[in-house]
Structure formats: structure tokens, C-alpha cells
């Protein structure tokens, strides 16, 4: 008898093909930033630590002022802590950039992230000189 297909609704076909590529070859070739983000989320879901590390390396190279806030929000929503740390580090290093300043206003829907940025920024800021 025909078994019903197993549905994996939270992973796209393209991302699942990359998961299979990794499982068979222990590597992934030619992943875009967008696929890399979704693949990292899938690697956390499937507990594939090496794949997650490969994705983090790929994403870290492509984080910039115009996408850091979006990556932060996506990682927060999917509990992708490694990705969230990458985005947060980048945002804190470039907090004065106009694109980052504009992007911060997009975080009105994610007040927890704004609080986290403020807390991390104040803890990483140099303390004022003592008199």
C-alpha cells in the first residue's frame, strides 16, 4: 500500500534540497544569503550543528547595513541564536550608520529586540573616566 507522503511544512523545497546535499556530502555549495538564512534555521530545527556553522560563516560575510535589522528580526522569530548574535554584533558595531538608524524604527513591532540592543550597547560602551 502507498504510504502518505511526509510533509515538512516549515522548510521550502530549495532549502530541503540543500539539507540533503549536506547530509550526503558534508558540505553545501553556492548558497545565497536568503537560502543561507533559511538553511540555518532548518539546521537548528534538525540539530545539524556543522551545517549551522557553515551557514553562519556564509551569512556573516553578507551582513550589511541594509539587511542587518531584517536578519535580526528573522533570527529572533525563529530562535536562531547564532544568527541573532551575528546580526546584533554587526548592528552594535555600525549603530551610527544611517541605514541602521532608519532600520531601528522598524523594530517597533519587536520591542524585546530594541531593549536587547540598548542593553548590549550600554554594557559594551566604555565606562566614563573616573575623576
Amino acid at each position: 500500500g502507498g504510504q502518505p507522503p511526509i510533509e515538512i511544512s516549515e522548510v521550502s523545497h530549495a532549502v530541503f534540497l540543500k539539507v540533503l546535499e549536506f547530509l550526503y556530502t558534508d558540505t553545501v555549495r553556492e548558497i545565497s544569503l536568503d537560502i543561507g538564512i533559511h538553511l540555518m534555521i532548518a539546521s537548528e530545527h534538525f540539530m545539524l550543528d556543522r551545517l549551522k556553522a557553515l551557514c553562519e560563516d556564509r551569512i556573516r560575510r553578507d551582513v550589511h547595513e541594509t539587511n542587518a535589522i531584517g536578519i535580526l528580526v528573522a533570527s529572533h522569530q525563529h530562535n536562531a541564536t547564532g544568527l541573532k548574535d551575528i546580526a546584533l554584533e554587526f548592528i552594535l558595531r555600525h549603530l551610527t550608520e544611517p541605514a541602521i538608524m532608519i532600520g531601528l524604527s522598524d523594530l517597533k513591532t519587536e520591542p524585546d529586540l530594541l531593549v536587547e540592543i540598548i542593553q548590549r550597547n550600554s554594557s559594551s560602551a566604555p565606562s566614563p573616566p573616573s575623576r
Side-chain angles (χ1 to χ4, degrees):
Q3 293 288 325
I6 298 171
E7 286 193 33
I8 305 172
S9 59
E10 60 276 350
V11 179
S12 73
H13 183 254
V15 170
F16 194 72
L17 288 177
K18 287 296 181 185
V19 170
L20 289 176
E21 178 184 333
F22 171 78
L23 290 174
Y24 280 99
T25 66
D26 198 43
T27 189
V28 281
R29 294 176 294 114
E30 300 172 22
I31 54 174
S32 66
L33 178 64
D34 187 51
I35 292 286
I37 290 169
H38 290 95
L39 188 56
M40 185 174 157
I41 292 164
S43 72
E44 287 204 343
H45 182 77
F46 297 126
M47 293 183 268
L48 299 169
D49 291 339
R50 179 166 151 63
L51 177 58
K52 182 178 164 185
L54 292 171
C55 292
E56 285 177 357
D57 287 345
R58 171 68 180 87
I59 294 163
R60 188 174 276 115
R61 284 179 289 182
D62 280 343
V63 175
H64 51 78
E65 288 85 0
T66 59
N67 67 11
I69 301 284
I71 291 171
L72 179 66
V73 171
S75 62
H76 179 70
Q77 290 170 344
H78 294 280
N79 296 315
T81 52
L83 183 56
K84 184 176 176 182
D85 287 339
I86 291 168
L88 267 173
E89 287 169 23
F90 184 91
I91 291 165
L92 290 172
R93 280 196 318 271
H94 299 89
L95 210 45
T96 59
E97 297 287 331
I100 297 289
M101 298 297 282
I102 291 166
L104 289 175
S105 66
D106 295 340
L107 290 179
K108 288 184 208 134
T109 58
E110 296 287 351
D112 295 352
L113 289 177
L114 273 174
V115 169
E116 192 166 349
I117 289 169
I118 293 166
Q119 287 174 335
R120 286 225 196 164
N121 190 46
S122 58
S123 68
S124 66
S127 43
S130 54
R131 293 182 181 215

